[in-house]
Amino acid sequence: MEGHQDIEKLATHIPGFDLIAAGGLPKGRTTLLAGSSGSAKTVFAAQFLAAGIRIDENGVFVTFEEPKEDIRSNVKGFGWDIKSWEKEGKWAFVDASPEPNQEATVVGEYDFGALLARVEYAVKKTGATRLSMDSVGAIFTRFSNQGVVRRELFRIVAALKEMGVTALLTVERIEEYGEISRIGVEEFVADNVIILRNALDEEKRRRTIEILKFRGAYHQKGEWPFTVSSGEGVVVLPLSAIELTQKSSDQRVFSGNEELDGMCGGGFFRDSVILVSGATGTGKTLLATKFLAGGASQGEKCLMLAFEESREQLIRNARGWSEDFVGMEEAGQLKIICSYPEIASLEEHLIEIKDAIEEFRPNRLAVDSLSALERVATVKGYREFIVGLTSFVKHREIAGLFTVTAPTLLGGTSITESHISTITDTIILLRYVEVYGDIRRGVVVLKMRGSKHEKEIRQFTIDAKGMHIGRPFRGISGILSGNPVQAGADEIERLNELFKTE
Amino acid sequence: MPHRYHLKLYIAGRTQRSEQCIVNLHSICEMELRGEYELSVIDVLENPQLAEDDKILATPTLIKKLPPPMRRLIGDLSEKEKVLIGMDLKDL
């Protein structure tokens, strides 16, 4: 057993994986990939090779279960043309799948010398530095002498190490949160283990990948969500990871409303995450609309991600507040993307959003609303989604405004806020205020990281021009808690007394 | 006279086990097939591509190509009864 601190890593180039693996797979070693049926083991194993071929690292795929023809056709949907790679000598199959109608009879002692010879031959023929074996459990099922199978697999793993090949061995599990594998392979491939899960969580399937251990090498702990997308394969979403080296901008940008800029001490910060929370109808979409229009007026590119209203509704609403979304779109300054939250999982939505951002390269974006997405996800999934989205946006120095529906008409804090309270730079609350039988509106900047800001709750009105922020509420307390109470004259006197400076 | 049996024996290198296996096979063939057989011995270490073509995993592996049906026997052929059954020379 070696006692070194850091084993060299091989970058797999599987999206997101190298980040949680702190570089990639342990180089020149064999890693066990354990997963229940349907957990995408074979896709991952094939992708390991496909990603390698793109960077001139050839690979060998040893298949114990599915014949090579099936694997070729199964992965076509991801854009991997295995057949042509085989012709070019970049990919070689070692097809050890069972021959139909030709099950073997055991008539004496045996070993897997032929398998080993075939593997070595394939590696030498292609000059492969990567190898995937799928799936080891199948070979245990076919040969009753478990002792021989174990010993021979050990021999093959040792040979792979000798050849300097970085290998992935897939093995089945029965339970998502139980033993590593059903056949106890840990004795010979115990050093490096990755687990793929496809667990049922609140009636939804949730795919996660966990690097259980890399002997002698660093990796991120815990489970990370991933998705299998056609055209790419496995995409790991290191959502909450660790782009802690987020530089903070102190450059200000126009919020879309001059009075609001003033309340914030000069506008929003270039790379801030702004949460706008309010009950339905309080003006969140208006604020988002003005935020985008404000950006466009400064020559910025703006992206609107809408999950609650249709394109036509958004455009009509904007027009009602004197903003011409169609004109902005035509000028290339605005892009509107509308989606039903239900049509995809949050991971898929996140990928779509990231792709849209990469393509359009906006300077600012608005999401209306996060709450629409919260409704279709599990608590865990939602949390990971917004952490992932906001850190992605921040990292690109895009000002992101996110609307959130407060749970009650008159106040209270939303769950979203508690999820990302540490990430949000700016929180703006919009509230209804009942004053002597009248419903008025109030806006307050609750938080403005890195800047002085007004603490007062101001009244505002909405008209065809948009939002007009006026004077602060006087003589009323408890607006944020949802229980506005008019302070009587005596009360005001008393409070003044309390804060008198002598 | 045409050979009735076409047999292929795959071994991994010339070891004691593989030599013993070849001896076992010849004795079975002489006794049971009365010379009506064609046997090729393939060393997978020298011809891995042939092993790939026939999807050989274990060694030794004996494949009876003719007469049909094709049969696959794994092991050093030390269990003679099983070999005969496996080659359809004896009924269960």
Side-chain angles (χ1 to χ4, degrees):
Chain A
M1 191 186 90
E2 302 101 330
H4 40 233
Q5 278 288 63
D6 228 8
I7 295 199
E8 206 189 325
K9 296 277 184 55
L10 179 81
T12 62
H13 292 274
I14 293 177
F17 177 76
D18 294 335
L19 196 66
I20 62 166
L25 287 175
K27 191 171 182 179
R29 301 282 197 268
T30 299
T31 299
L32 200 67
L33 181 67
S36 55
S37 142
S39 55
K41 300 190 294 295
T42 307
V43 175
F44 195 101
Q47 193 171 347
F48 174 52
L49 301 187
I53 288 177
R54 289 211 185 91
I55 51 168
D56 285 325
E57 286 177 23
N58 295 345
V60 170
F61 196 98
V62 182
T63 171
F64 287 123
E65 203 161 11
E66 291 182 86
K68 56 182 186 260
E69 296 78 22
D70 285 6
I71 299 195
R72 278 186 202 124
S73 53
N74 287 348
V75 305
K76 263 217 185 96
F78 300 117
W80 306 333
D81 189 355
I82 296 182
K83 199 126 203 167
S84 53
W85 289 334
E86 287 178 86
K87 285 208 184 86
E88 293 164 15
K90 298 179 179 169
W91 175 301
F93 271 113
V94 171
D95 191 342
S97 60
E99 252 330 84
N101 309 320
Q102 245 206 81
E103 265 321 298
T105 325
V106 175
V107 296
E109 307 253 307
Y110 62 89
D111 61 34
F112 283 169
L115 177 59
L116 179 56
R118 285 165 66 188
V119 168
E120 285 178 331
Y121 174 62
V123 169
K124 290 201 181 90
K125 192 171 64 167
T126 53
T129 47
R130 301 183 179 212
L131 183 139
S132 285
M133 226 182 256
D134 178 54
S135 83
V136 157
I139 200 92
F140 277 90
T141 318
R142 272 157 68 192
F143 293 88
S144 54
N145 193 333
Q146 309 278 282
V148 169
V149 179
R150 243 177 256 279
R151 188 193 70 211
E152 293 301 283
L153 275 172
F154 187 87
R155 226 171 28 123
I156 292 175
V157 168
L160 291 174
K161 186 171 176 186
E162 193 79 19
M163 292 189 277
V165 170
T166 305
L168 214 55
L169 236 70
T170 76
V171 74
E172 286 104 52
R173 320 178 66 212
I174 308 286
E175 298 163 6
E176 300 292 357
Y177 293 96
E179 293 180 348
I180 292 181
S181 81
R182 65 173 177 82
I183 50 174
V185 293
E186 297 87 312
E187 299 101 71
F188 63 88
V189 194
D191 288 2
N192 312 298
V193 182
I194 298 173
I195 300 187
L196 296 183
R197 291 186 175 91
N198 193 18
L200 209 53
D201 176 23
E202 290 182 44
E203 293 175 35
K204 289 194 166 56
R205 280 280 166 200
R206 199 166 159 263
R207 292 190 183 280
T208 61
I209 178 170
E210 178 187 359
I211 299 177
L212 196 61
K213 55 173 154 168
F214 279 167
R215 172 173 275 159
Y218 185 67
H219 61 91
Q220 294 292 337
K221 317 274 186 292
E223 292 180 60
W224 304 88
F226 74 89
T227 194
V228 179
S229 78
S230 68
E232 266 198 285
V234 167
V235 178
V236 179
L237 302 164
L239 299 185
S240 335
I242 314 329
E243 304 248 48
L244 282 179
T245 52
Q246 224 128 237
K247 27 187 171 98
S248 216
S249 174
D250 47 13
Q251 196 203 339
R252 299 263 189 175
V253 297
F254 184 36
S255 67
N257 181 298
E258 273 154 19
E259 292 118 328
L260 187 59
D261 268 11
M263 288 171 78
C264 291
F268 297 146
F269 285 120
R270 167 83 271 154
D271 65 344
S272 52
V273 168
I274 305 132
L275 210 60
V276 174
S277 168
T280 174
T282 41
K284 300 189 298 297
T285 306
L286 163 60
L287 238 173
T289 301
K290 288 294 178 180
F291 173 67
L292 296 177
S297 73
Q298 312 275 302
E300 290 187 23
K301 282 171 82 172
C302 314
L303 178 64
M304 167 65 129
L305 300 164
F307 294 101
E308 286 196 335
E309 282 158 331
S310 68
R311 218 184 105 76
E312 290 65 37
Q313 274 177 292
L314 286 170
I315 292 173
R316 199 183 56 220
N317 289 342
R319 202 180 301 129
W321 297 315
S322 305
E323 297 300 346
D324 178 14
F325 267 6
V326 176
M328 285 180 217
E329 271 189 313
E330 279 164 10
Q333 289 198 272
L334 174 67
K335 187 173 173 113
I336 301 175
I337 298 180
C338 296
S339 262
Y340 283 116
E342 295 81 4
I343 57 164
S345 69
L346 282 197
E347 285 90 7
E348 285 158 355
H349 276 300
L350 184 58
I351 290 179
E352 205 209 316
I353 293 172
K354 283 184 177 179
D355 285 348
I357 292 174
E358 296 278 8
E359 206 201 305
F360 185 63
R361 301 205 170 275
N363 304 100
R364 60 174 69 188
L365 72 68
V367 175
D368 185 32
S369 70
L370 282 183
S371 305
L373 295 168
E374 185 184 354
R375 287 194 285 268
V376 301
T378 62
V379 175
K380 236 191 275 179
Y382 179 60
R383 186 196 145 79
E384 280 164 354
F385 170 81
I386 47 179
V387 168
L389 177 57
T390 49
S391 39
F392 181 82
V393 159
K394 222 181 199 315
H395 191 66
R396 277 157 183 71
E397 299 217 319
I398 297 172
L401 186 140
F402 304 87
T403 70
V404 169
T405 308
T408 64
L409 273 188
L410 291 179
T413 48
S414 73
I415 296 171
T416 304
E417 284 150 45
S418 58
H419 282 329
I420 52 170
S421 54
T422 45
I423 302 181
T424 33
D425 302 289
T426 304
I427 300 182
I428 297 170
L429 302 187
L430 302 175
R431 292 285 185 263
Y432 287 118
V433 184
E434 188 206 319
V435 180
Y436 288 134
D438 234 3
I439 288 286
R440 309 253 185 99
R441 297 169 192 275
V443 55
V444 65
V445 176
L446 192 66
K447 174 184 179 185
M448 180 77 197
R449 189 187 298 179
S451 166
K452 273 193 190 310
H453 65 94
E454 269 186 27
K455 313 281 193 287
E456 292 166 316
I457 307 170
R458 287 174 171 257
Q459 300 184 57
F460 72 92
T461 53
I462 299 177
D463 67 15
K465 282 276 167 64
M467 182 184 276
H468 301 280
I469 301 177
R471 296 169 302 132
F473 282 100
R474 286 266 178 263
I476 301 178
S477 63
I479 293 177
L480 292 192
S481 64
N483 287 309
V485 170
Q486 298 273 171
D490 299 333
E491 183 69 10
I492 295 175
E493 265 265 16
R494 199 179 67 81
L495 289 171
N496 279 338
E497 284 295 314
L498 283 176
F499 295 107
K500 219 182 221 162
T501 45
E502 293 291 350
Chain B
M1 194 178 2
H3 297 285
R4 268 197 74 211
Y5 281 80
H6 276 237
L7 305 170
K8 270 190 182 174
L9 179 68
Y10 287 86
I11 54 168
R14 296 271 163 180
T15 63
Q16 198 172 27
R17 176 185 285 158
S18 55
E19 291 298 325
Q20 185 60 51
C21 180
I22 295 172
V23 165
N24 288 347
L25 184 57
H26 272 296
S27 99
I28 292 173
C29 290
E30 286 307 317
M31 226 183 302
E32 308 286 334
L33 305 182
R34 297 178 308 252
E36 287 172 13
Y37 66 94
E38 191 180 293
L39 170 69
S40 18
V41 177
I42 299 157
D43 186 344
V44 301
L45 298 184
E46 279 163 35
N47 284 297
Q49 186 59 52
L50 292 181
E52 184 70 47
D53 295 337
D54 261 337
K55 285 173 124 186
I56 308 296
L57 285 189
T59 40
T61 291
L62 173 67
I63 296 196
K64 174 175 76 87
K65 284 224 140 95
L66 289 176
M70 189 143 85
R71 293 285 188 213
R72 202 177 268 251
L73 283 75
I74 290 178
D76 58 6
L77 311 179
S78 49
E79 299 180 49
K80 189 171 176 200
E81 285 293 299
K82 285 197 182 159
V83 177
L84 297 179
I85 295 168
M87 284 173 69
D88 301 315
L89 289 170
K90 195 173 184 164
D91 290 323
L92 271 162

